[in-house]
Amino acid sequence: MDEIETEIDEHIKKNEYVEDLESGNYTYGEKINYVAISPNGSIVAKFNPYGSSILVTKVTTNANKNIPFDKKKFFNKKPSNVFGWSLAISDIIDEGNDIGLVAISCATDIDTSPKEIEKENLQKASIREQLLILLPDFQFILIFLFICYYSVIISYTHNLNLYFYLFFIIIFMNILYFYESYNTPKILKTDIKQSLISSEGMIKIFKFSFNDNNNDKEDDNYSIYHLGGAVTFLNNSNKNSTTLICMNCVEIQKINIILDKNIIVSKEGIYLLPENLFKKLGSFKDSKCKWKYLLNSKFQKFLMIDTSKNDHVQSIELYDVNNLQLINVFYRHLEDCLISNDEEPGIFAMSTDSRLFAYSYGDNIITLYLIESGLEVVSKKFDNIFKIKFLELIEKDKKLFIIEEDRESNVKFHIWIISGCLNDYFSISKDDIGLSDSNISILSKYDEQHNAFTKANGKVVFKIDGEQFRVVHEITTQRTIFGENDAVTDEYEYQSCNLEPWNNYDNTKTISGRFLNNDKRLLLIIGQNSVQLWKSKSINFVDFNNFKNFENSNLVYILISDSIEPEKKAKFQINDDMTTIITHACRSLAYLYKHTKSIYSREKYQKFINGIMYIIKDFIKNYPDNWKLMEVQHPLMAYLIYSRSFSLIKYILFETNTHAKKLHKPQSKYTYNNYLQSASDLKLKLFEDLELNDESLKPANDLELALKFCQGRDAVMLAYLLEYYSENSMTHIGWMINVTKILPELSKFSYNDYYGSYMDQLLYKPCFGEMRYNFPIRRFKELSVCQGTLKVYVPLTSIVPKNSLSYKKVREDILPDICMVPLPNFTTHNFRVVEKDGKGIFKGIKNFIYLLGYIFLPPGYKKLEDKYFSSFHQIKKREKDFFRVPAIEAAINSRWRDTMAYWMGPLYFYAIFLTYFSYLSQLLLNGDKDFNALIKIGIGIFYYTGIYLLIIEFRQIMKYRTKYITTFNIIDLSSIILGIIVFSLISFTVRTSNETIMILTSMTTLVLWIELLLWFRLFSVMAINIFIFGNILRKIMPFFIFMLILIIGFGNSMFILFQEPSPLYYLKASNYTFYNGTVNLTLTGPSQDNPISTIWESILSMYYLSTGNLNNYDYWPLKLLTFIANVILVLVILNMLIALMNDTFNKAKEDGNLGLLIYRAELVNDFEKLDTFSFYNSSYICYLRDPELMKKWMKKSQELSKTKLYSWFNESINKENITYDGIDITSWYELISGNEDYQDSSPTPDHMTLWF
């Protein structure tokens, strides 16, 4: 190893350059500098592998700290082929002592050369994982012990007949369980995945302090051997501790670091890289290319993977390494892509609030996405940019900082303002960000950004001369501000009633008007509570008297607010061009709606409404992309919803004449930081404007706001949004993020005369059964593969631990049939049960009692309101059609495996309860009075299992109260109580056999076996037949009643024939006389007993008529009655019953699956409420499309395909009034839906080109 070091030093000295160990480029050794910034952007570090120290600088104070570094001492044993270094710095961990950490890592060739797992080892790992899944908890251990004890009793008594219970109950249940889970065609296959590697790299962690009182020691460091890769510190979540992420080309390691007197390090876990990134890195033969690609794919806790789905669509996966979850999948169309470079990942940036995601493929196109939904906001092409090399959102995410490499490989800087304003792009010089020519030359020379500069938390850090850094977080751009200058202008007074018709409290008051900067094209009106700007339709206004609003001028700006104070004479200025104009227009619409009752002139009022709406519509028509940016930054749709701007909302959502589509994007919550910061009049104050000051009434998003207004005809706004989201969701599941949240509330709405039931109509939209899976992830985990139900899978959306084989690849021929539930996070919950912390001995006793309860008692229920559970749990599931929806069935089945695993425990307890009852009752009834130890233990087990089952029932009664009272629940409770009572009578009351106890025991045994059959509803193969039987019984019950009445009628008639004074009542024995030639012999036949002495016997004789014989009775009324009864009861009724049963069975079979799903949904809901282990939480649920199981839904969906949710809203407009379905409505509806096209009769106004 010493020889290698000597050779490298001689090579440096001879050629005066070294190989850049991170990027593969060549430069002078003393300039190999690595720059890192802390997660919150407060500290910067610089490192040179050939230097003697690590420079740490605090951004706010420029305080410096040098940490000694000696490359020769860095390695315990220097590895071969070191080709990369990585630098990371933490935030201040110990704020009291101003202490933080720096981590340096080196990587070797072996870190990028994984070996495949041998097939033999793969099979062993799979078996190991299956055993871990089947590992029982404490309750299953108890069940196992009870079964073993029962086997001991059998051996002790030598009664082999008792094996009957063990086989037909315990073993039969296990056969059903495995048949349920594994007897189905598999669509997933196990293949070889990436394996872990033994690294030759290492990490060294240094401690530093900006506090002079803390003297740094040379040994204030910690080395981690056999681990190398790209390192990153995460945001501090706990005091005096942090997490370090180390990532190489195969694995990710999370390392917990606690800062005490010394550095304490513990490895949290080892995880595999996402498969698509692993494959991409594996496609490179050169280790340095892999290293470079990996470094460019990560940023702080984020990991980005871009892969081409096909020739035209690019998929981008974004992961959070901290919580090891997929954040979202984004799509980008590649038609306009000018540059294709598969050797480098795309360039991306994140907003500080993790709301926006900016991405570029390295060409001249930047696409903005919403992170929470994955939806594209806008894609902008910059014609004067050649290659984009760097992106970062700065100034509270209002601007996007861009570094370009032009055709001559020179570096240029640009700014894109993403507020939606028209004047949004600026080229900036090096002087604007404080860089010199030498700094620019370094940036040009280094193609790898990680060496020369870095970014974090909206800050970009450049390494400049010496030990200096340049931090860029704000860039001033020279923007044109439209408004008044200091020129003195004349003013003119106008009547307030003409220009402010919403004010009826003082119609005689005058308001001032003046030409803007003496320009007679523009007239500025400062009213009592409004600011208006009018533009002449001709070249200029002649004078002030020439102004006739809406006749010879167009309204181009308006703000109406009660906080406007005209007496202050403030200068009129628009700082953010059209962003200000559009947001103020939307806000003014809300104001006008709120003050509809104070109208002075309806005609003038409607003109202002139409003028405002025209400003908005014309801007959308001309600048749709700018509207998209505004709409995600400001609550514009909220104002339109509040102001009931039906036609404008419909125009935005469904207008097909504009060249841009999808103008509105759903967001889960209003982003207060951007537009609710100030009480200034020019800032938007959403909830104050909308009069939603009560916290409980404040909606989180546009869909919730529309839901709050879902009354009468206002409900059409909710219909617009639901229709819009469901239509677009076929291309991306992110459109439905808010639909998931409102479904519980929407399901509680009853049928409405105007719009019916939105819930019922929504569930038959194509997305609820035909949304194809389009994620680039090809690994799935089976959640439910039961026969007769939709097969359910979840994609691999997490970063999995090593040796995890739960997720397998789907067969390519099956992939087109995989569909998605269109509701992200539909079955997930995020609650945490808060435990009260005790102290000292009380805490220990409490924990011990809790442990005993956990082992020996069934779990209780979480003391939480319904709103804390999943949306699926909260939905009111009342209609059978609800369960016919494929997406709903898939959601139920996705929870079934965990639910079934829990309920198998109580089922085993009940099986033991039945087994011990049957055996012990027989033993006691046979007169065995010897209560030896084994029998006493068996009796104790019986009572324990019975009490355990009773506790489950009583807890359900306390939880559900009257809702508990159902047929099945009553049978559950009655069977257990009956079993315990009868067994107690046998054990403690009667020690010898008697007839009453024997009959009672027999009937109880039958009831317990019937209850066991009902427990088998856990298995789909049994449950469907049980529900078929129930459906048949329910449907033929009316016919049974009809048949019973006939039987009773014939039976009663028969009973009367055999009573006095009927001849049949006096029938005696028959005498027969025979003559044998000598004497007459008289023989007396047997006397005939009365076969129908009671009414019950007569009814039973009619029921058994086909098997009975009444021919011995020679009485014509009886024969006639018997003949009629045979024709009706045997020939007609029984054949009718057979035909009815045949038809009913076919229908009942179709409804069997429905009953199974309803039963499963009940158990799933109950399990989610239990204070026990949680479900497997997955944001996305997939299922295998099965046309046979989905045919009813598909038929109804096809019938409703042309019916829109808003079809009930038939709007007709004329000059006189406006009606909906022929019904006159309130004044606001007339105003807001009036003739908006009045301005179109004149030439198209050019006010959209007015500002710039």
Side-chain angles (χ1 to χ4, degrees):
M1 189 60 65
D2 293 336
E3 294 177 358
I4 295 175
E5 290 181 2
T6 303
E7 291 175 2
I8 292 176
D9 292 339
E10 290 176 355
H11 181 75
I12 295 171
K13 185 175 180 180
K14 181 177 180 181
N15 299 290
E16 295 185 351
Y17 68 87
V18 297
E19 184 178 2
D20 176 357
L21 298 178
E22 187 164 359
S23 66
N25 298 321
Y26 292 90
T27 186
Y28 292 100
E30 65 274 7
K31 291 187 178 180
I32 302 179
N33 293 314
Y34 298 85
V35 180
I37 187 171
S38 63
N40 63 9
S42 61
I43 307 173
V44 179
K46 186 197 76 170
F47 160 69
N48 188 322
Y50 297 92
S52 60
S53 65
I54 305 168
L55 176 64
V56 179
T57 303
K58 185 177 286 190
V59 173
T60 54
T61 62
N62 287 325
N64 292 334
K65 190 70 180 180
N66 283 293
I67 304 173
F69 173 80
D70 188 349
K71 179 184 174 184
K72 294 181 179 180
K73 295 182 179 180
F74 183 84
F75 299 104
N76 180 31
K77 179 182 179 182
K78 186 174 180 181
S80 59
N81 298 325
V82 175
F83 67 85
W85 294 83
S86 181
L87 173 68
I89 185 167
S90 72
D91 299 325
I92 294 297
I93 300 174
D94 185 351
E95 295 183 358
N97 296 311
D98 221 6
I99 297 176
L101 297 173
V102 172
I104 296 177
S105 172
C106 70
T108 64
D109 280 338
I110 199 172
D111 293 320
T112 61
S113 304
K115 297 180 180 179
E116 291 184 343
I117 307 176
E118 296 179 2
K119 290 187 177 181
E120 182 179 352
N121 295 332
L122 187 70
Q123 294 174 353
K124 291 180 180 179
S126 179
I127 295 173
R128 212 168 35 242
E129 186 172 2
Q130 292 297 326
L131 290 176
L132 289 175
I133 293 174
L134 296 175
L135 188 66
D137 62 5
F138 288 114
Q139 292 178 352
F140 279 92
I141 292 175
L142 287 176
I143 293 169
F144 177 74
L145 293 177
F146 293 161
I147 296 174
C148 291
Y149 172 76
Y150 182 78
S151 302
V152 172
I153 292 180
I154 295 175
S155 302
Y156 176 77
T157 58
H158 304 290
N159 187 353
L160 299 181
N161 292 328
L162 298 180
Y163 278 111
F164 165 82
Y165 300 107
L166 187 62
F167 177 80
F168 281 100
I169 297 178
I170 307 299
I171 297 179
F172 182 65
M173 284 193 308
N174 285 283
I175 292 174
L176 281 176
Y177 178 76
F178 285 101
Y179 181 84
E180 181 90 358
S181 302
Y182 300 104
N183 187 28
T184 182
K186 300 294 183 181
I187 69 166
L188 303 183
K189 57 183 180 180
T190 303
D191 66 337
I192 297 176
K193 295 175 62 178
Q194 65 256 43
S195 64
L196 301 181
I197 56 176
S198 178
S199 174
E200 291 185 358
M202 67 171 294
I203 300 173
K204 182 160 285 192
I205 302 170
F206 301 87
K207 183 170 69 174
F208 67 87
S209 173
F210 290 107
N211 191 337
D212 295 334
N213 296 327
N214 296 319
N215 296 322
D216 296 333
K217 302 176 183 178
E218 290 188 4
D219 57 351
D220 275 348
N221 57 71
Y222 187 94
S223 298
I224 304 175
Y225 299 100
H226 304 293
L227 178 60
V231 290
T232 303
F233 281 103
L234 302 180
N235 285 318
N236 296 342
S237 56
N238 299 315
K239 186 178 180 181
N240 294 339
S241 67
T242 188
T243 301
L244 179 68
I245 300 293
C246 180
M247 186 185 310
N248 57 33
C249 294
V250 178
E251 65 192 41
I252 300 171
Q253 289 210 22
K254 294 183 71 174
I255 303 168
N256 292 326
I257 303 174
I258 299 175
L259 193 59
D260 200 0
K261 293 182 179 179
N262 298 314
I263 300 173
I264 303 174
V265 174
S266 62
K267 294 183 180 180
E268 179 180 328
I270 304 176
Y271 307 90
L272 299 177
L273 276 184
E275 185 175 23
N276 286 333
L277 179 58
F278 173 76
K279 285 183 176 180
K280 187 66 179 180
L281 295 174
S283 66
F284 298 112
K285 296 182 179 180
D286 186 11
S287 296
K288 294 172 186 176
C289 291
K290 294 181 181 180
W291 180 248
K292 179 180 177 181
Y293 194 96
L294 177 65
L295 291 175
N296 285 340
S297 297
K298 73 176 189 67
F299 168 64
Q300 292 188 345
K301 67 175 183 178
F302 300 106
L303 183 63
M304 188 270 297
I305 307 161
D306 52 0
T307 54
S308 294
K309 182 179 178 183
N310 51 49
D311 294 337
H312 302 291
V313 180
Q314 179 186 10
S315 301
I316 305 165
E317 302 168 55
L318 187 66
Y319 288 86
D320 185 336
V321 181
N322 188 22
N323 60 25
L324 305 172
Q325 293 294 322
L326 173 73
I327 298 175
N328 222 318
V329 176
F330 311 91
Y331 300 107
R332 180 171 184 254
H333 296 277
L334 303 178
E335 287 84 355
D336 298 328
C337 184
L338 300 178
I339 299 172
S340 178
N341 186 3
D342 290 335
E343 295 184 357
E344 293 183 8
I347 316 298
F348 69 99
M350 313 283 295
S351 63
T352 54
D353 59 357
S354 297
R355 195 174 65 91
L356 295 176
F357 174 71
Y359 176 88
S360 175
Y361 195 55
D363 50 9
N364 63 343
I365 300 174
I366 299 177
T367 307
L368 281 179
Y369 299 91
L370 287 170
I371 292 178
E372 62 178 350
S373 63
L375 299 177
E376 177 184 321
V377 178
V378 66
S379 186
K380 186 176 180 67
K381 184 177 182 179
F382 297 85
D383 294 328
N384 57 341
I385 292 179
F386 179 61
K387 287 184 182 179
I388 294 173
K389 304 300 292 183
F390 182 83
L391 297 172
E392 177 64 356
L393 286 157
I394 61 174
E395 295 186 25
K396 297 181 179 179
D397 307 324
K398 296 177 182 178
K399 298 177 181 178
L400 185 64
F401 179 61
I402 306 167
I403 298 181
E404 173 207 4
E405 178 185 304
D406 64 12
R407 298 181 185 275
E408 290 76 30
S409 299
N410 296 321
V411 174
K412 293 182 179 179
F413 306 98
H414 308 270
I415 287 291
W416 179 23
I417 302 174
I418 59 173
S419 66
C421 60
L422 300 184
N423 190 18
D424 61 352
Y425 168 75
F426 299 89
S427 292
I428 57 176
S429 66
K430 63 181 185 301
D431 298 328
D432 294 327
I433 55 177
L435 295 180
S436 63
D437 291 336
S438 60
N439 304 140
I440 298 298
S441 64
I442 293 175
L443 294 178
S444 302
K445 196 168 186 178
Y446 278 85
D447 184 54
E448 173 56 59
Q449 300 99 324
H450 291 77
N451 293 344
F453 53 93
T454 187
K455 62 182 181 179
N457 200 34
K459 299 175 182 177
V460 182
V461 178
F462 295 91
K463 166 67 178 66
I464 57 179
D465 299 333
E467 298 182 351
Q468 299 299 314
F469 296 95
R470 172 60 179 157
V471 179
V472 177
H473 58 90
E474 289 184 0
I475 299 176
T476 304
T477 53
Q478 298 297 324
R479 301 180 62 194
T480 302
I481 297 178
F482 181 85
E484 290 184 293
N485 54 31
D486 295 329
V488 179
T489 60
D490 296 330
E491 291 190 355
Y492 186 81
E493 291 186 352
Y494 295 93
Q495 290 294 321
S496 174
C497 59
N498 294 325
L499 293 171
E500 294 182 326
W502 50 86
N503 296 330
N504 63 1
Y505 48 84
D506 189 358
N507 297 325
T508 61
K509 192 169 183 178
T510 59
I511 57 178
S512 64
R514 57 183 179 266
F515 291 121
L516 189 66
N517 299 328
N518 292 323
D519 184 354
K520 291 188 177 183
R521 290 182 306 162
L522 302 170
L523 180 64
L524 177 66
I525 303 294
I526 307 297
Q528 299 177 64
N529 57 358
S530 70
V531 178
Q532 307 170 28
L533 188 63
W534 297 83
K535 181 183 177 183
S536 173
K537 290 184 178 180
S538 59
I539 299 177
N540 289 315
F541 292 109
V542 177
D543 52 25
F544 288 113
N545 292 323
N546 183 240
F547 167 65
K548 305 293 182 184
N549 60 340
F550 296 111
E551 294 182 12
N552 63 350
S553 57
N554 291 316
L555 181 66
V556 293
Y557 169 82
I558 187 170
L559 172 63
I560 311 174
S561 174
D562 289 333
S563 58
I564 292 177
E565 300 177 5
E567 62 274 6
K568 289 189 175 180
K569 302 290 184 181
K571 286 199 301 183
F572 170 73
Q573 287 189 340
I574 296 177
N575 296 319
D576 202 11
D577 61 69
M578 290 306 298
T579 303
T580 303
I581 295 170
I582 296 301
T583 51
H584 285 182
C586 294
R587 187 178 174 188
S588 298
L589 272 179
Y591 182 94
L592 291 178
Y593 170 77
K594 190 163 51 175
H595 294 80
T596 306
K597 295 181 181 179
S598 61
I599 297 175
Y600 170 73
S601 170
R602 181 176 300 275
E603 182 181 356
K604 295 177 181 178
Y605 199 79
Q606 183 165 339
K607 286 184 177 181
F608 272 91
I609 293 171
N610 293 339
I612 296 172
M613 295 177 71
Y614 186 78
I615 293 174
I616 299 171
K617 288 181 67 173
D618 199 45
F619 176 73
I620 293 173
K621 181 179 179 181
N622 289 280
Y623 303 99
D625 286 346
N626 296 75
W627 167 267
K628 292 177 184 179
L629 287 170
M630 287 185 193
E631 211 260 351
V632 299
Q633 301 282 6
H634 303 281
L636 304 183
M637 184 61 71
Y639 283 105
L640 300 183
I641 292 171
Y642 176 79
S643 62
R644 279 66 166 180
S645 302
F646 301 148
S647 58
L648 192 53
I649 294 173
K650 188 175 181 180
Y651 176 85
I652 293 170
L653 300 182
F654 302 107
E655 179 58 43
T656 58
N657 294 327
T658 57
H659 63 273
K661 309 298 181 185
K662 302 176 182 177
L663 297 171
H664 166 72
K665 302 297 188 302
Q667 298 184 79
S668 63
K669 60 182 179 180
Y670 295 122
T671 49
Y672 306 99
N673 292 337
N674 286 348
Y675 46 80
L676 296 177
Q677 299 172 346
S678 171
S680 170
D681 294 329
L682 298 182
K683 292 289 183 181
L684 296 173
K685 298 173 289 185
L686 177 62
F687 295 135
E688 181 179 327
D689 287 340
L690 305 189
E691 294 182 321
L692 297 173
N693 297 321
D694 187 351
E695 274 306 316
S696 62
L697 296 177
K698 292 181 179 179
N701 52 65
D702 296 329
L703 199 59
E704 288 187 13
L705 182 63
L707 184 64
K708 290 185 181 296
F709 296 146
C710 189
Q711 296 179 357
R713 296 163 187 82
D714 290 347
V716 71
M717 296 183 294
L718 180 62
Y720 285 153
L721 290 172
L722 290 175
E723 185 72 35
Y724 176 74
Y725 293 151
S726 60
E727 279 185 3
N728 290 313
S729 64
M730 294 295 287
T731 59
H732 200 296
I733 193 174
W735 288 99
M736 302 290 279
I737 57 172
N738 292 334
V739 178
T740 303
K741 297 178 182 179
I742 71 156
L743 278 183
E745 191 68 24
L746 190 64
S747 66
K748 298 174 185 176
F749 282 21
S750 59
Y751 185 88
N752 188 278
D753 292 337
Y754 288 110
Y755 51 82
S757 174
Y758 283 160
M759 185 72 175
D760 295 342
Q761 298 175 61
L762 179 66
L763 293 178
Y764 283 89
K765 292 297 177 184
C767 60
F768 282 87
E770 298 176 0
M771 180 190 288
R772 304 294 180 176
Y773 176 78
N774 56 2
F775 280 14
I777 301 166
R778 295 294 180 263
R779 289 195 179 272
F780 294 84
K781 180 178 182 179
E782 296 174 341
L783 286 189
S784 178
V785 289
C786 304
Q787 288 189 344
T789 62
L790 291 178
K791 312 300 185 292
V792 179
Y793 310 87
V794 290
L796 176 56
T797 57
S798 60
I799 300 175
V800 296
K802 62 177 182 179
N803 298 328
S804 175
L805 299 174
S806 299
Y807 294 89
K808 303 175 183 177
K809 271 199 170 182
V810 66
R811 292 184 354 224
E812 290 297 328
D813 60 316
I814 296 295
L815 191 60
D817 292 327
I818 299 292
C819 294
M820 296 183 74
V821 174
L823 302 170
N825 296 305
F826 184 45
T827 58
T828 61
H829 50 75
N830 193 27
F831 54 75
R832 294 181 180 178
V833 179
V834 180
E835 299 181 0
K836 295 182 179 179
D837 193 13
K839 294 183 179 180
I841 190 172
F842 296 103
K843 181 179 179 181
I845 294 174
K846 179 182 176 181
N847 292 337
F848 179 71
I849 294 174
Y850 176 81
L851 179 61
L852 289 179
Y854 175 75
I855 296 174
F856 296 104
L857 296 177
Y861 288 95
K862 300 182 179 77
K863 297 179 180 179
L864 297 172
E865 299 178 27
D866 282 347
K867 64 181 180 180
Y868 294 106
F869 294 94
S870 67
S871 295
F872 172 76
H873 176 88
Q874 298 176 54
I875 287 180
K876 190 174 182 180
K877 311 170 185 69
R878 57 186 177 185
E879 301 293 339
K880 290 185 177 180
D881 285 346
F882 175 84
F883 294 96
R884 290 195 173 98
V885 179
I888 299 300
E889 180 178 349
I892 295 172
N893 292 343
S894 71
R895 312 305 254 168
W896 181 241
R897 173 168 288 186
D898 292 336
T899 303
M900 183 179 179
Y902 164 75
W903 284 105
M904 283 297 294
L907 173 57
Y908 276 112
F909 270 90
Y910 182 80
I912 293 170
F913 177 80
L914 171 59
T915 302
Y916 276 73
F917 175 87
S918 301
Y919 165 66
L920 293 175
S921 61
Q922 291 180 35
L923 192 66
L924 295 174
L925 287 173
N926 289 334
D928 189 349
K929 299 181 180 180
D930 297 330
F931 278 73
N932 55 37
L934 283 177
I935 301 300
K936 290 180 180 179
I937 293 173
I939 293 174
I941 292 174
F942 170 80
Y943 280 109
Y944 168 71
T945 54
I947 293 171
Y948 185 97
L949 295 170
L950 278 179
I951 291 175
I952 294 177
E953 300 300 323
F954 288 145
R955 283 180 171 170
Q956 288 181 350
I957 293 173
M958 295 175 63
K959 180 68 177 179
Y960 299 106
R961 301 187 183 276
T962 56
K963 293 180 180 179
Y964 174 84
I965 303 175
T966 63
T967 302
F968 290 123
N969 286 338
I970 297 299
I971 295 175
D972 293 343
L973 182 61
S974 302
S975 61
I976 300 169
I977 294 176
L978 183 63
I980 293 175
I981 292 175
V982 172
F983 187 82
S984 299
L985 290 174
I986 298 172
S987 302
F988 304 108
T989 304
V990 181
R991 294 295 179 88
T992 58
S993 175
N994 63 59
E995 186 177 358
T996 303
I997 293 297
M998 187 70 70
I999 294 173
L1000 195 58
T1001 304
S1002 175
M1003 297 303 297
T1004 302
T1005 303
L1006 177 61
V1007 171
L1008 293 179
W1009 275 94
I1010 292 174
E1011 171 65 7
L1012 179 64
L1013 181 64
L1014 295 180
W1015 267 101
F1016 282 172
R1017 288 177 295 166
L1018 290 173
F1019 310 108
S1020 61
V1021 291
M1022 298 291 290
I1024 292 176
N1025 289 296
I1026 292 173
F1027 287 112
I1028 289 175
F1029 173 79
N1031 290 332
I1032 292 176
L1033 192 62
R1034 192 161 43 248
K1035 291 181 179 180
I1036 67 173
M1037 187 59 68
F1039 184 82
F1040 268 131
I1041 295 174
F1042 165 74
M1043 187 175 69
L1044 181 61
I1045 292 174
L1046 284 176
I1047 291 173
I1048 292 173
F1050 280 106
N1052 193 19
S1053 299
M1054 189 71 69
F1055 175 72
I1056 293 173
L1057 287 177
F1058 279 88
Q1059 304 303 310
E1060 283 188 279
S1062 171
L1064 295 176
Y1065 182 78
Y1066 299 102
L1067 287 176
K1068 303 297 183 181
S1070 300
N1071 294 325
Y1072 303 94
T1073 302
F1074 297 93
Y1075 178 70
N1076 61 359
T1078 57
V1079 294
N1080 290 324
L1081 299 176
T1082 302
L1083 300 177
T1084 303
S1087 60
Q1088 297 186 32
D1089 296 331
N1090 188 350
I1092 304 176
S1093 58
T1094 65
I1095 185 67
W1096 305 112
E1097 291 178 350
S1098 66
I1099 294 174
L1100 287 175
S1101 68
M1102 288 295 100
Y1103 181 75
Y1104 296 117
L1105 189 61
S1106 61
T1107 59
N1109 184 11
L1110 297 176
N1111 293 328
N1112 294 330
Y1113 299 94
D1114 188 14
Y1115 187 55
W1116 72 266
L1118 176 63
K1119 291 184 177 182
L1120 179 62
L1121 181 64
T1122 304
F1123 174 77
I1124 295 173
N1126 265 292
V1127 171
I1128 294 177
L1129 295 181
V1130 178
L1131 183 62
V1132 178
I1133 296 297
L1134 287 182
N1135 282 284
M1136 284 179 63
L1137 180 62
I1138 292 171
L1140 179 64
M1141 291 278 286
N1142 186 40
D1143 183 60
T1144 303
F1145 178 82
N1146 295 329
K1147 295 180 180 178
K1149 188 176 180 181
E1150 294 179 0
D1151 293 338
N1153 283 3
L1154 190 63
L1156 172 65
L1157 291 174
I1158 294 174
Y1159 174 67
R1160 284 186 172 185
E1162 293 174 357
L1163 292 188
V1164 167
N1165 282 351
D1166 189 73
F1167 178 62
E1168 186 170 342
K1169 293 177 181 177
L1170 290 175
D1171 188 11
T1172 183
F1173 32 79
S1174 300
F1175 284 112
Y1176 176 84
N1177 268 339
S1178 176
S1179 299
Y1180 309 102
I1181 302 170
C1182 300
Y1183 57 95
L1184 184 62
R1185 191 171 181 271
D1186 190 333
E1188 182 63 27
L1189 295 175
M1190 297 166 53
K1191 60 183 179 182
K1192 282 192 174 182
W1193 177 89
M1194 294 170 67
K1195 181 180 178 181
K1196 187 172 180 180
S1197 177
Q1198 187 66 29
E1199 293 173 354
L1200 298 175
S1201 60
K1202 296 182 180 180
T1203 303
K1204 305 295 184 181
L1205 288 171
Y1206 54 84
S1207 296
W1208 61 272
F1209 191 76
N1210 298 319
E1211 181 180 24
S1212 60
I1213 300 175
N1214 56 43
K1215 295 181 180 180
E1216 300 297 329
N1217 56 15
I1218 177 171
T1219 61
Y1220 300 92
D1221 295 331
I1223 302 173
D1224 290 334
I1225 59 171
T1226 61
S1227 59
W1228 176 256
Y1229 291 95
E1230 298 175 1
L1231 295 168
I1232 200 68
S1233 303
N1235 183 12
E1236 300 171 21
D1237 300 325
Y1238 74 97
Q1239 293 189 9
D1240 291 343
S1241 59
S1242 61
T1244 303
D1246 61 350
H1247 66 270
M1248 293 304 169
T1249 59
L1250 169 67
W1251 313 110
F1252 306 101

